[in-house]
Amino acid sequence: IVLVRVLDQSTFGYYKQVGLLCGTALSVLTLALPESLHYFVPRQPGASQTLLRRTTWLLTGLGVLGGLGIALASPGLERFFSAPLGSYRLFLGLIVATSIPASLLEVVGVVDRRARLSALAIAGMEGLRSALVVTAALLTRDLSVVFGAVAVGLAFQCLAVAAYLGWRPRDSVASPEALRTRVQLGYALPLFGAALIGMARDQLHSYFVATQYAADQFAIYAVGTLAIPFLGNLTQSVADVVIIDTSRSFAAGHLEEVRRVWWRATGGIALILLPMFAVLEVFAPDIIAFVFGADYGPATPVFRVFLLLIPLSIPLSSAMLRASASLRTMAIADAVSLVATIATLLATTAWLGPLGAVTSLVVGKAVFDAISAWRIADRSQMSLTDFLPWRRLAGILLVSALGASAAGLLTSSLPVWLRALAGPALGLGLCAAALWILRLVPDAERELVRHQLAAYAARLPGLRERGAERP
């Protein structure tokens, strides 16, 4: 948000192109090793330190090799991208080299079920890196300095991973045969192969626009396809917990517990994602103009199509396939969805341009979810009619659409900046009230809300007393 205001559109387009390349390198070079920890650590907790340390060393080596590779290849990549990548080769290399081992920060605490510690570490490191980048941008407006700040932030993240592994207790049992490197790679590499196809599906649209359009046009497209951090983090956090819980249940054959955890998770995130989806669709023009500026108004149609990914993330398809070790199905689903993405891209971009590119992404994700649903239902011994609580989800979506539309009408006469702030807040409030009154919030979630409110009410008198005692 700061960079888009500080940098001109072309320079911001350069920044997003570099980010696209570095993000791709991160996805490729990790070889799905961090993801394999979600599978192995819950099964063999006594040998988890061996797994974590070995994974750290493997990722460090891959990061160094990848950093050198992209630094050497950056001048040649300029033939495809408008950004002067050769001028930033040192920073590209440093960012890739540090981002690979730094990716473990989001995994090590989660697989140990230390949720609070993991949240504090991730929030602290992300806050530090953001502060470094924002400060560099405001003081210099120089992309080289900004990229240097990114690399420094990632280096601190690597130090945090090393500190955690040093603090973590040693293994309680000797590493068994099942946890040798070849066994971990035997799980990770098929998962990586499937993820590689999925990454091609998910990033093909960005590469198409980045290589076919000017940097300023790619900047507008990048704003339209900018993932909303809170929603992405919420879905990923829930997915990580679901993988850890259900992988053990799948291994033990406790399918009833698998279904319980999964239905609770999907129902819970639907109560958040569907109202947010409806509100963002209604207030998309105001949010884009307020947050990014009037120059990025053309990003609104792309943003509205991109938002369709929000409801598609509710089934947690990839997480459930990983938890059940259905890697073959994942590879098939990724391959078919990639074909659907390419076909949509070729069929629509000639007359829709960038809007066709983002449409191809949504189509590909929908195809992946459709194939995954069949396998997840089969492994969990469910029918597709029982796959999700379809009626309740439809009710949540309908109520959310009505609440967001009512908020849009009530705030239609407000200035853009005020409508962008007050409209979504009013819409979410109306949705929450309607969902509660109509009892679309399950009893377990209602009891959780009551418990939290009661706990806050119990603390309130003490807070008032301490406030009154202060001079």
Side-chain angles (χ1 to χ4, degrees), residues 342-386:
I342 295 173
T344 306
L345 190 71
L346 295 175
T348 60
T349 51
W351 54 286
L352 289 178
L355 194 60
V358 71
T359 301
S360 71
L361 172 65
V362 174
V363 170
K365 183 62 169 64
V367 171
F368 176 85
D369 284 343
I371 298 174
S372 301
W374 167 80
R375 178 58 176 171
I376 295 169
D378 179 66
R379 290 285 279 113
S380 306
Q381 295 184 4
M382 296 182 292
S383 66
L384 288 177
T385 56
D386 300 327

Side-chain angles (χ1 to χ4, degrees), residues 104-388:
L104 277 177
L105 184 66
E106 299 183 3
V107 176
V108 289
V110 173
V111 296
D112 281 343
R113 304 186 70 85
R114 293 189 172 99
R116 293 181 184 273
L117 178 61
S118 180
L120 287 173
I122 293 171
M125 289 296 105
E126 291 292 345
L128 173 62
R129 190 170 62 183
S130 297
L132 290 171
V133 171
V134 167
T135 302
L138 291 174
L139 294 180
T140 68
R141 300 174 184 261
D142 187 336
L143 269 189
S144 295
V145 181
V146 170
F147 291 141
V150 173
V152 171
L154 289 169
F156 277 111
Q157 201 163 316
C158 293
L159 292 175
V161 172
Y164 179 81
L165 294 179
W167 167 79
R168 195 177 185 274
R170 296 182 178 180
D171 289 340
S172 58
V173 298
S175 180
E177 169 69 21
L179 293 183
R180 293 189 182 276
T181 304
R182 61 179 176 80
V183 177
Q184 184 182 7
L185 290 174
Y187 174 90
L189 290 180
L191 177 62
F192 166 70
L196 197 63
I197 302 172
M199 181 189 66
R201 175 199 66 219
D202 294 340
Q203 296 190 358
L204 182 62
H205 69 107
S206 293
Y207 276 98
F208 174 83
V209 179
T211 56
Q212 298 297 316
Y213 293 87
D216 57 340
Q217 293 174 294
F218 181 68
I220 293 173
Y221 185 79
V223 165
T225 56
L226 192 65
I228 302 168
F230 167 74
L231 299 183
N233 291 342
L234 169 69
T235 306
Q236 186 59 50
S237 299
V238 173
D240 289 343
V241 175
V242 166
I243 292 171
I244 293 172
D245 282 350
T246 57
S247 63
R248 291 183 298 188
S249 298
F250 269 121
H254 299 155
L255 297 183
E256 191 171 315
E257 178 65 9
V258 168
R259 293 191 290 268
R260 186 193 69 80
V261 171
W262 182 46
W263 285 340
R264 177 78 186 275
T266 53
I269 62 174
L271 287 170
I272 299 174
L273 295 187
L274 292 179
M276 288 293 296
F277 166 69
V279 166
L280 289 171
E281 285 284 2
V282 170
F283 293 97
D286 309 281
I287 293 172
I288 292 290
F290 173 68
V291 176
F292 301 105
D295 291 343
Y296 287 90
T300 300
V302 172
F303 182 59
R304 278 181 158 153
V305 175
F306 184 73
L307 288 173
L308 294 173
L309 294 177
I310 294 178
L312 291 176
S313 65
I314 291 174
L316 303 175
S317 302
S318 180
M320 290 298 291
L321 290 177
R322 286 166 55 192
S324 60
S326 302
L327 303 184
R328 181 179 178 184
T329 301
M330 181 179 287
I332 294 172
D334 280 325
V336 175
S337 62
L338 176 60
V339 173
T341 299
I342 295 173
T344 306
L345 190 71
L346 295 175
T348 60
T349 51
W351 54 286
L352 289 178
L355 194 60
V358 71
T359 301
S360 71
L361 172 65
V362 174
V363 170
K365 183 62 169 64
V367 171
F368 176 85
D369 284 343
I371 298 174
S372 301
W374 167 80
R375 178 58 176 171
I376 295 169
D378 179 66
R379 290 285 279 113
S380 306
Q381 295 184 4
M382 296 182 292
S383 66
L384 288 177
T385 56
D386 300 327
F387 180 68
L388 286 173

